[in-house]
Every structure is written in structure tokens, then in C-alpha cells.
């Protein structure tokens, strides 16, 4: 049984965070475990509130999962603050977690802040060196590099700079640019482009969480990073194409679109 762990926040609306990750793991035939870092009061309209768990209890969850079940791959999402990041980094090292995917979640699609500003440097210094892959979107890559990113050339430059921080693979997601949806993967030698047609869809809540979870699932199944990214890109494209309205705002992608369409 392939096993994947998500370390992230809980989305009460079910479209992102822990809930999206576990749906994705199940859809891709991987046994999913979870460590919750924060609880959000959230729906398709936005985030109404957050409650961060004590770092010590985040550590206890990690001990419980990793000492018994283990993980063939793991991902992080919302880590909220420096204390949580430091505990996660310590436990990843203690248990020798491999195939770590970091989705540097900073701001929700609604604009709500999900990572304390003072924690960003801790994320880069403590956790990035332990990662196999990081998956920032344009805004996150801009914050992490201190530069504005508005073209593929600038995406490549940002990927190179983040790779120099000690990350083997950097995937800069270009979904916020105009035109085709192109993501840039850099491994220190080769720049790979993963391009898909832009879908005119309103309901894209949880896209970033879901893509990083899919990469994690495929890594847990033994795929290489470039192959895992390509397979995850196909998965998220299908999930977006089948998205439907859930609630009154920006609805989630359809995590189980490979198995059924809405209305079946």
C-alpha cells in the first residue's frame, strides 16, 4: 500500500487543505494520512476565521503517524506560523521523511492571509532545504524572491533563484498569467514546461492544494518528479474541467472526476 501524508490546514468547506489532499490521495489510489496544523471556518465565499493548533500538538500528530504508518511521500500546505514550521522541520528530519513536497501557502484565493509574515524566512531557511519539490504560484514565488513575476522568462528566473536556496526541484505555477496555463519545472540543469489549455472556469477553489497533493501521490507510487508533475497536471486539468457550483462563491475542483461526472 502506497502511503502519503498531508500536513496542512482544515477547510470546513471541503474544497482545499486537508480535505482536498485526502480526496486527491484516494482518487490516485494512495492511502492518505493527515496532520492538521490549523482549523479554518471557510466556505466558497472565503475564510471567516482561523485557529492555529499549538505546535506541540502538531508534533504529537506527526509522531503518531510517522512512528506507526510512515509515509512514502509527504506534502505541506498551510503551516500558519514559525512555531509550526519549526516542529514540522524537526519531525521531517527525525523520521527521515523523503519525497517532501512543499506548497508554500501564504494567501487564500479570497485574499485571506494564511502564513504569518514573520514566518516566511523560517519556511525558507528551515523547511526548504528538506524538500524535494516546492510548488509556488506566481504570487508566492514573487514573495519568496522579492521580485514581480509577469512572464515565463521571469518564472524561469524565479525558479533558478529558489533552486539556489537548496531545493532540488522548483515548480513555478503560471496559472495566473494570460494565455495557456504553463508551469515551469527547474532541477538545476533543465527547464521543463508543462502547458495545458486555459479553461474558462469559475470554480477553481483548491487548485494549488490539489496539484501538490497529486504530485505527492504520484511520488508515493514511485514516479520520478518530472513524470509525477506531468501526471498531476493532467489530473488537475480534468478536475477543473468537471468543476461545478458548490455554494454561492468559488466552488472546488472535482477531485473524483476520473470516476464520475456531476449528475451521474
Amino acid at each position: 500500500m502506497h502511503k502519503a501524508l498531508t500536513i496542512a490546514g482544515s477547510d470546513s468547506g471541503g474544497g482545499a487543505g486537508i480535505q482536498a489532499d485526502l480526496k486527491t490521495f484516494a482518487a490516485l489510489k494512495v492511502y492518505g494520512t493527515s496532520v492538521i496544523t490549523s482549523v479554518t471556518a471557510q466556505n466558497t465565499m472565503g475564510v471567516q476565521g482561523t485557529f492555529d493548533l499549538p505546535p506541540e500538538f502538531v508534533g504529537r500528530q506527526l509522531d503518531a503517524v510517522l512512528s506507526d504508518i510512515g509515509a512514502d511521500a509527504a506534502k505541506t500546505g498551510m503551516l500558519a506560523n514559525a512555531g509550526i514550521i519549526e516542529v514540522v522541520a524537526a519531525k521531517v528530519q527525525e523520521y527521515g521523511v523523503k519525497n517532501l513536497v512543499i506548497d508554500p501557502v501564504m494567501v487564500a484565493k479570497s485574499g485571506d492571509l494564511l502564513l504569518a509574515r514573520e514566518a516566511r524566512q523560517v519556511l525558507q531557511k528551515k523547511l526548504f532545504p528538506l524538500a524535494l519539490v516546492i510548488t509556488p504560484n506566481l504570487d508566492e514565488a514573487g514573495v519568496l524572491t522579492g521580485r514581480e513575476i509577469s512572464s515565463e522568462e521571469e518564472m524561469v528566473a524565479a525558479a533558478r533563484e529558489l533552486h539556489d536556496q537548496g531545493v532540488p526541484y522548483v515548480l513555478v505555477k503560471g496559472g495566473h498569467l494570460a494565455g495557456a496555463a504553463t508551469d515551469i519545472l527547474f532541477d538545476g540543469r533543465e527547464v521543463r514546461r508543462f502547458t495545458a489549455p486555459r479553461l474558462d472556469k469559475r470554480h477553481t477553489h483548491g487548485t494549488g492544494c490539489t496539484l501538490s497533493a497529486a504530485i505527492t501521490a504520484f511520488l508515493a507510487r514511485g514516479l520520478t518528479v518530472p513524470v509525477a508533475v506531468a501526471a498531476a497536471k493532467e489530473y488537475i486539468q480534468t478536475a477543473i474541467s468537471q468543476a461545478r457550483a458548490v455554494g454561492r462563491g468559488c466552488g472546488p475542483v472535482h477531485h473524483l472526476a476520473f470516476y464520475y461526472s456531476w449528475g451521474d
Side-chain angles (χ1 to χ4, degrees):
M1 175 66 73
H2 302 298
K3 298 166 286 189
L5 165 65
T6 171
I7 308 165
S10 169
D11 174 2
S12 55
I18 290 283
Q19 288 81 351
D21 295 345
L22 291 177
K23 291 175 189 178
T24 301
F25 293 163
L28 298 177
K29 302 178 181 179
V30 171
Y31 183 79
T33 57
S34 63
V35 167
I36 297 176
T37 58
S38 303
V39 178
T40 69
Q42 184 176 175
N43 55 26
T44 64
M45 304 297 289
V47 179
Q48 287 80 50
T50 64
F51 178 81
D52 302 335
L53 272 67
E56 182 273 337
F57 195 76
V58 173
R60 289 179 66 180
Q61 293 178 76
L62 284 161
D63 285 334
V65 172
L66 294 173
S67 67
D68 176 31
I69 300 169
D72 297 308
K75 65 154 287 190
T76 66
M78 178 182 176
L79 297 179
N81 58 54
I84 290 175
I85 294 169
E86 288 173 349
V87 165
V88 171
K91 295 300 181 182
V92 165
Q93 291 178 293
E94 178 181 346
Y95 290 97
V97 176
K98 306 297 182 185
N99 299 323
L100 178 64
V101 178
I102 295 177
D103 185 11
V105 175
M106 296 180 181
V107 180
K109 193 178 296 291
S110 59
D112 297 279
L113 188 67
L114 300 179
L115 178 68
R117 288 182 174 84
E118 63 273 14
R120 293 172 185 171
Q121 288 188 344
V122 180
L123 179 70
Q124 289 176 270
K125 291 180 179 179
K126 294 289 184 71
L127 207 53
F128 276 17
L130 305 177
L132 176 62
V133 190
I134 63 171
T135 64
N137 61 27
L138 294 186
D139 293 337
E140 292 158 351
V143 170
L144 293 168
T145 60
R147 66 172 77 198
E148 185 175 344
I149 303 172
S150 57
S151 68
E152 282 193 28
E153 291 74 18
E154 290 170 344
M155 289 171 65
V156 172
R160 290 181 183 276
E161 183 172 334
L162 291 169
H163 178 271
D164 288 343
Q165 295 181 21
V167 182
Y169 289 88
V170 179
L171 181 70
V172 179
K173 299 174 293 188
H176 294 167
L177 290 181
T182 299
D183 301 334
I184 299 293
L185 180 67
F186 182 62
D187 64 359
R189 299 177 302 279
E190 183 178 356
V191 174
R192 294 180 174 89
R193 287 172 169 81
F194 298 86
T195 301
R198 182 170 299 280
L199 300 174
D200 185 18
K201 290 286 185 177
R202 175 189 179 194
H203 304 299
T204 57
H205 181 52
T207 301
C209 301
T210 301
L211 177 65
S212 60
I215 294 170
T216 305
F218 286 122
L219 290 175
R221 288 169 51 176
L223 277 64
T224 64
V225 172
V227 176
V229 171
K233 181 82 171 178
E234 178 183 357
Y235 170 78
I236 192 61
Q237 194 76 357
T238 301
I240 293 172
S241 71
Q242 295 295 317
R244 297 293 185 272
V246 176
R248 295 177 289 120
C250 179
V253 302
H254 186 10
H255 299 91
L256 299 176
F258 281 175
Y259 297 95
Y260 67 89
S261 297
W262 294 115
D264 288 355

